Amino acid sequence: MRAPLLLRSTLLLVLVATNTLANERDQPAVRPLLLSEHPHEETHRVSVKGAVVTTLRFEKPVDPDRTKMLGWEGRLEPLSVVRNKVILEPLHDLNADEAIPLLVTLADGTEVSFLLRPPRRQAWDWADQQVDVFKDRDSYAAMHSALQRALEENGTLTEENARYRKEETSEDHALATLIASGALAQTPFKVVDRFSGRDERATVEAKVFKGKGKAAVVLTIKNLDPEQPWSMTSARLVTKDRGDERAVAIRTTFREIAPGASGVMALVVDKSAFLEEGHWTSLFLEIYRYDGLRQALIQLDPYLVAR
């Protein structure tokens, strides 16, 4: 039987969502929007979030008298127009099925239709902080903005491809794949702790494993939301005292978990992650879900990787 101190040290510390955001932006999210030759025939989506200011920026001045929202009362602050900018600020998050029409009329009479919606579920789709709207696709500003966005997207894809190639040869990722698929007998791990918890969005059952120089955690997540699929934005492994981030191998059986369904996430940690300046240290494993909130926080102690 393990000592009580060791049992307590691996307990799930937080298994409810907190207001800690994952992947906080280092700079404002600026998105270019190029209008078609017939902009009045197309409605453009703008992602908005409660208490987050979204600015639509145009090449020409905006006519405030002919720029209007429909059904915004109680959901957004009153519309504000400052020269060539339209400023939007929702009072709270919109529901998944909510949509608020917005018609922007420029001083030259050009009308542009928008639909204000909540952000999509994907990790890369956050609220729009600034949307630069270009009518002339061939203008220098429009082409420069589009080029910058294309370069950023290409850089992200390049980094992801490099990471995937590295993971293909990683022992820890191979072990995580076996555990996630249920092939625990083919791994050196044995379960040493179990616990569970829930909030309004999900239930989480956790198993902690001890191995030869490695530790593992398996989370079984059930989506309790009747409409919103559950997905993970990120998982972070940090040291207890200094908060330094360490490597962790992750494999899941899902891209997103449908309402009422369950999915499995396996994480493997090498013993080298528990060393800090030559001394053993405890680690915190943090799991962040689709809305940027922290779903779970688990403390892992060095005895898990001791021989």
Side-chain angles (χ1 to χ4, degrees):
M1 179 179 295
R2 299 196 315 279
L5 176 61
L6 298 181
L7 176 62
R8 288 196 299 270
S9 68
T10 59
L11 287 179
L12 188 66
L13 300 181
V14 177
L15 198 52
V16 294
T18 69
N19 288 326
T20 305
L21 290 177
N23 294 332
E24 293 181 351
R25 296 186 182 274
D26 296 326
Q27 57 186 359
V30 179
R31 175 168 68 90
L33 175 60
L34 305 180
L35 303 180
S36 68
E37 293 181 356
H38 306 284
H40 61 283
E41 296 179 358
E42 184 177 359
T43 299
H44 306 279
R45 177 179 178 138
V46 175
S47 298
V48 297
K49 187 172 178 62
V52 175
V53 174
T54 296
T55 301
L56 306 181
R57 182 173 174 269
F58 298 83
E59 296 174 286
K60 297 180 179 181
V62 175
D63 185 341
D65 295 330
R66 293 187 291 170
T67 295
K68 305 181 184 301
M69 289 188 295
L70 297 178
W72 60 272
E73 294 85 353
R75 295 188 284 179
L76 282 88
E77 295 284 0
L79 187 91
S80 177
V81 174
V82 180
R83 294 192 301 171
N84 65 329
K85 302 175 185 65
V86 177
I87 300 172
L88 310 165
E89 183 178 357
L91 297 170
H92 53 76
D93 289 349
L94 300 182
N95 295 327
D97 58 349
E98 284 188 285
I100 300 175
L102 166 66
L103 177 65
V104 176
T105 304
L106 304 183
D108 63 3
T110 299
E111 295 183 345
V112 187
S113 298
F114 297 91
L115 202 59
L116 309 184
R117 297 295 308 274
R120 295 186 179 92
R121 296 184 298 272
Q122 290 89 341
W124 57 86
D125 188 11
W126 200 245
D128 288 315
Q129 295 182 14
Q130 179 173 310
V131 179
D132 290 342
V133 184
F134 299 100
K135 182 180 179 181
D136 183 2
R137 289 173 172 266
D138 296 327
S139 70
Y140 171 80
M143 296 179 67
H144 176 74
S145 181
L147 176 60
Q148 287 297 112
R149 185 169 180 83
L151 290 173
E152 290 174 2
E153 293 176 350
N154 183 68
T156 299
L157 291 174
T158 300
E159 291 177 1
E160 290 180 353
N161 289 335
R163 185 176 72 251
Y164 291 149
R165 286 195 296 270
K166 183 178 180 181
E167 289 177 358
E168 288 178 354
T169 60
S170 165
E171 177 186 358
D172 290 352
H173 282 89
L175 289 171
T177 300
L178 289 172
I179 298 173
S181 65
L184 185 62
Q186 301 180 40
T187 72
F189 294 108
K190 62 178 181 179
V191 64
V192 295
D193 213 345
R194 304 170 186 261
F195 36 81
S196 62
R198 64 179 290 158
D199 62 12
E200 75 283 359
R201 298 291 178 88
T203 62
V204 181
E205 296 180 357
K207 295 180 182 179
V208 177
F209 295 85
K210 181 178 181 180
K212 297 179 180 179
K214 298 182 187 297
V217 178
V218 173
L219 303 177
T220 301
I221 302 167
K222 181 175 182 179
N223 183 9
L224 300 180
D225 195 296
E227 298 180 354
Q228 173 73 55
W230 193 101
S231 60
M232 181 186 71
T233 59
S234 67
R236 298 176 67 243
L237 185 68
V238 297
T239 57
K240 180 179 179 181
D241 297 326
R242 296 173 54 176
D244 296 332
E245 192 162 353
R246 300 298 169 87
V248 56
I250 307 169
R251 284 291 183 262
T252 68
T253 61
F254 60 88
R255 292 186 67 88
E256 60 180 24
I257 303 174
S262 298
V264 176
M265 180 187 308
L267 307 100
V268 174
V269 183
D270 186 77
K271 69 176 182 180
S272 60
F274 291 86
L275 290 172
E276 188 170 54
E277 296 181 351
H279 301 283
W280 293 108
T281 184
S282 295
L283 302 173
F284 285 134
L285 177 62
E286 302 176 320
I287 306 297
Y288 293 91
R289 70 187 187 201
Y290 56 90
D291 55 5
L293 300 184
R294 187 170 61 193
Q295 182 74 73
L297 172 64
I298 305 170
Q299 180 171 326
L300 304 176
D301 286 333
Y303 89 93
L304 293 170
V305 295
R307 291 185 179 275

